[in-house]
Amino acid sequence: MTLRIYNTLSKQIEELKPIDGNEVTMYSCGPTVYDYVHIGNLRTFMMADFLRRTLLFSGYNVKHIKNITDVGHLTQDDIDAGEDKMLKAAKRENKNPYDIAKFYEEAFHEDEAKLHILPANKFTRATEYISQMIELIQRLFEKGYAYESNGSVYYDIDKFEGYGKLSGNALENLKIGARLEANPDKKNPYDLALWLKAGEEHLMKWESPWGVGYPGWHIECSAMSISNLGETLDIHTGGEDNIFPHHENEIAQSEGATGKKFVNYWVHARFLLVNGEKMSKSKGNFYTLKDIENKGFNPLAYRYLCLTAHFQTQMNFTEQSLQDSENALEKLFNFISSIDDQEEGKVLDEYAKKFQAALEDNLDTPRAIALVWELLKNKEISDIDKKVTLLKFDEVLGLGLANVSTIETETLTINIASPENRTITIRNSTGSIISAYILNLIQEREIARIAKDFLTSDRIRDELKEKGYETKDTPEGIEITKIK
Ligand code: AMP
Ligand code: ZN
């Protein structure tokens, strides 16, 4: 079987034909590390993870590179204007931009780990590829695409014939759309910045043949992908907003410099929406993974939710949909933990084939999830075979089902400074993490109970129940059981 995937370049679903037989090269645009990523960004990173795991499931080897943008992304990168996002964050937090990058890069890795996103084979930081970017810009000078102006370097878009082939943004549209107050250093307002002259206030800057400056955001991805994966890549991923201008510009730069096709398959995830609008930092309508954990959700419920929507459809985020996903996930966990591992089971071939076929059909994760429930409902199949088959599916789903079975009841002791320092036992055999928010609720309830504020303690008990925790007071302490 072979993977068929929608290619933004051809606007068609195509059969994947890797350049090098069984080896697939894949590059994913990663985060700009000036702040925490939001769950919209994480949806896009998860899509790449579903794709990579599907390829592995189908028997390919995958070399996956993901970049960390730690310099050069401007607040108005569509017109090469505004502030450097890293510099802006450094001012906001009164820190050095390198410390900002380090902090948010770590937070990003933590988020990816919580969502079981396989780490890229290599994470490339833009600041560590400056010399490769300069080299690529030099190649663009040799080919006649680049020009220098007042210490900055621009790409003459008029010279690149194929401009617009990815996004359909024909040069004519660009010309109409270009702003009148355009940068006087550019020959044409729509030319793209390859290298920008650094002002005094700039903290991240490098020597170059054109003076002290810093790279444009687009050249970073061209240099990092070509340096690590060669001049033609199999797959390049990103979110739908990357199509234009970022990926269109990556094509112009890479193909301008090498004369070769840059990417064979462009795969873009559609947005995560809130109330019908794109989730974004600038609109302030975003959630981080921490936010949803603090509300008592298991991060993997968000992974489950993303699996239920096809990557080519925009997904409207609601807490209710996350709650429904958490409930479904808990059902799965409960099934897995209820089946004794002593017995021998087998992967059901028919189901494994259907599962693979769904994923290879343009990464149809909703169909793969539907198959999970179809399998669970099938009365003809033994529970142990169901479990073994689900564990096989989990190689792609990544819901951590293999860990569930090994987790015994957890016992947690919470100390509350009071004469009644009781033990709080939390029975949790579901494998999911009990969030700080829940632990806090449990403590608050205990404090209220001691103070004989039963109105509050009952209200908290009800909230715990709603979140799936049954509370029972015993003479020895409190027993909390995770019930769903
Ligand atoms: P950035 O850090 O802004 O470069 O974004 C990182 C990745 O997240 C890019 O691939 C974006 O296309 C993607 N992205 C940004 N906002 C959303 C959203 N609301 N839904 C899905 N993906 C997004
Ligand atoms: Zn990129």
Side-chain angles (χ1 to χ4, degrees):
M1 287 189 272
T2 28
L3 176 76
R4 290 163 52 77
I5 191 87
Y6 183 84
N7 186 351
T8 313
L9 186 62
S10 66
K11 318 245 172 328
Q12 274 172 3
I13 296 177
E14 289 177 34
E15 194 174 297
L16 178 84
K17 293 193 185 103
I19 300 162
D20 186 10
N22 221 35
E23 311 296 314
V24 178
T25 54
M26 182 164 153
Y27 182 89
S28 299
C29 287
T32 308
V33 283
Y34 68 112
D35 206 337
Y36 293 106
V37 294
H38 59 63
I39 58 173
N41 304 132
L42 289 165
R43 179 189 189 199
T44 292
F45 303 141
M46 251 189 284
M47 177 277 286
D49 187 61
F50 301 156
L51 180 56
R52 173 167 162 199
R53 286 172 180 261
T54 296
L55 288 165
L56 295 171
F57 197 87
S58 303
Y60 291 103
N61 295 321
V62 183
K63 189 167 176 201
H64 186 202
I65 303 286
K66 189 178 287 179
N67 75 287
I68 304 285
T69 303
D70 54 0
V71 67
H73 196 160
L74 305 180
T75 48
Q76 286 172 277
D77 54 65
D78 53 336
I79 55 163
D80 301 316
E83 266 185 281
D84 182 317
K85 288 187 176 178
M86 296 304 301
L87 194 61
K88 196 174 164 190
K91 281 185 200 156
R92 178 186 72 214
E93 298 185 20
N94 200 16
K95 281 189 194 160
N96 166 325
Y98 287 92
D99 291 338
I100 294 278
K102 188 162 179 275
F103 179 83
Y104 290 113
E105 186 187 324
E106 264 168 36
F108 158 70
H109 289 310
E110 267 174 37
D111 283 353
E112 284 217 319
K114 281 183 188 160
L115 289 171
H116 293 183
I117 296 175
L118 295 175
N121 299 100
K122 192 167 165 186
F123 289 96
T124 57
R125 292 191 192 98
T127 50
E128 290 168 7
Y129 283 80
I130 302 292
S131 64
Q132 289 89 332
M133 295 172 204
I134 291 176
E135 243 169 70
L136 201 61
I137 296 171
Q138 280 170 325
R139 282 171 84 179
L140 287 170
F141 269 105
E142 283 160 25
K143 299 275 174 81
Y145 291 107
Y147 63 92
E148 188 184 349
S149 175
N150 195 21
S152 292
V153 180
Y154 299 96
Y155 186 108
D156 189 344
I157 286 192
D158 271 341
K159 297 230 167 93
F160 186 71
E161 258 185 34
Y163 200 81
K165 62 184 169 185
L166 183 71
S167 59
N169 255 320
L171 210 47
E172 284 311 310
N173 287 340
L174 267 185
K175 285 178 189 172
I176 295 163
R179 305 192 186 182
L180 292 173
E181 77 275 24
N183 182 342
D185 293 343
K186 293 185 182 183
K187 274 195 204 164
N188 286 305
Y190 45 82
D191 284 351
L192 78 99
L194 297 168
W195 186 264
L196 293 134
K197 180 181 178 171
E200 273 303 305
E201 76 290 357
H202 250 89
L203 302 172
M204 293 173 119
K205 50 191 169 188
W206 293 265
E207 290 285 347
S208 81
W210 319 286
V212 176
Y214 61 98
W217 172 40
H218 317 296
I219 197 73
E220 300 183 349
C221 282
S222 289
M224 290 186 276
S225 55
I226 290 175
S227 312
N228 285 285
L229 299 172
E231 295 185 343
T232 305
L233 328 178
D234 290 313
I235 301 173
H236 193 315
T237 72
E240 62 177 302
D241 59 339
N242 286 154
I243 299 172
F244 185 84
H246 188 47
H247 290 163
E248 195 69 65
N249 289 346
E250 279 187 45
I251 292 177
Q253 296 163 157
S254 309
E255 299 192 355
T258 67
K260 292 184 190 149
K261 188 175 181 189
F262 175 44
V263 171
N264 285 333
Y265 305 89
W266 285 96
V267 184
H268 292 100
R270 303 291 309 273
F271 283 146
L272 182 70
L273 308 179
V274 188
N275 297 325
E277 273 195 276
K278 177 193 174 190
M279 180 176 285
S280 78
K281 284 274 152 57
S282 53
K283 290 204 182 86
N285 62 351
F286 64 91
Y287 292 83
T288 62
L289 200 60
K290 266 236 164 60
D291 291 335
I292 65 173
E293 276 185 283
N294 287 342
K295 284 179 186 282
F297 292 106
N298 180 341
L300 291 174
Y302 183 57
R303 183 172 175 105
Y304 183 96
L305 177 61
C306 289
L307 283 163
T308 63
H310 191 260
F311 76 96
Q312 282 186 282
T313 55
Q314 294 190 326
M315 181 169 104
N316 201 36
F317 178 78
T318 61
E319 270 188 44
Q320 187 55 50
S321 61
L322 190 59
Q323 185 63 58
D324 294 344
S325 293
E326 174 122 359
N327 297 347
L329 189 60
E330 293 290 339
K331 257 194 214 156
L332 263 183
F333 286 167
N334 286 341
F335 171 77
I336 296 286
S337 65
S338 69
I339 307 304
D340 194 349
D341 273 332
Q342 305 303 316
E343 274 181 81
E344 293 243 328
K346 59 178 182 305
V347 175
L348 299 160
D349 213 32
E350 185 201 330
Y351 274 92
K353 281 209 179 94
K354 275 194 191 168
F355 182 77
Q356 189 173 341
L359 292 165
E360 289 182 343
D361 182 8
N362 198 24
L363 209 60
D364 196 343
T365 55
R367 211 164 98 207
I369 286 288
L371 198 67
V372 166
W373 298 105
E374 190 190 308
L375 168 66
L376 279 178
K377 282 195 200 113
N378 190 334
K379 295 205 171 70
E380 317 270 285
I381 296 169
S382 72
D383 280 347
I384 188 67
D385 284 354
K386 285 181 183 172
K387 176 168 172 173
V388 172
T389 305
L390 284 175
L391 293 181
K392 179 74 187 162
F393 288 3
D394 206 45
E395 288 176 15
V396 180
L397 304 178
L399 297 169
L401 300 185
N403 306 335
V404 173
S405 48
T406 58
I407 289 184
E408 302 275 316
T409 302
E410 246 186 295
T411 309
L412 275 164
T413 309
I414 302 175
N415 291 317
I416 296 164
S418 85
E420 281 187 69
N421 214 345
R422 304 200 300 167
T423 310
I424 303 178
T425 308
I426 304 174
R427 297 192 193 293
N428 173 26
S429 58
T430 60
S432 55
I433 304 156
I434 296 183
S435 69
Y437 179 79
I438 295 290
L439 293 176
N440 222 1
L441 276 185
I442 294 169
Q443 282 208 36
E444 274 175 31
R445 180 177 173 275
E446 181 65 353
I447 291 165
R449 207 193 51 79
I450 290 166
K452 300 208 176 341
D453 175 3
F454 296 117
L455 211 66
T456 305
S457 70
D458 285 355
R459 183 184 49 74
I460 299 177
R461 186 201 53 215
D462 292 346
E463 185 175 349
L464 283 166
K465 191 158 183 186
E466 205 179 290
K467 297 263 185 239
Y469 297 83
E470 189 79 59
T471 318
K472 204 173 122 200
D473 290 300
T474 70
E476 294 77 41
I478 311 167
E479 269 184 38
I480 311 260
T481 312
K482 197 149 199 272
I483 44 168
K484 59 176 193 191

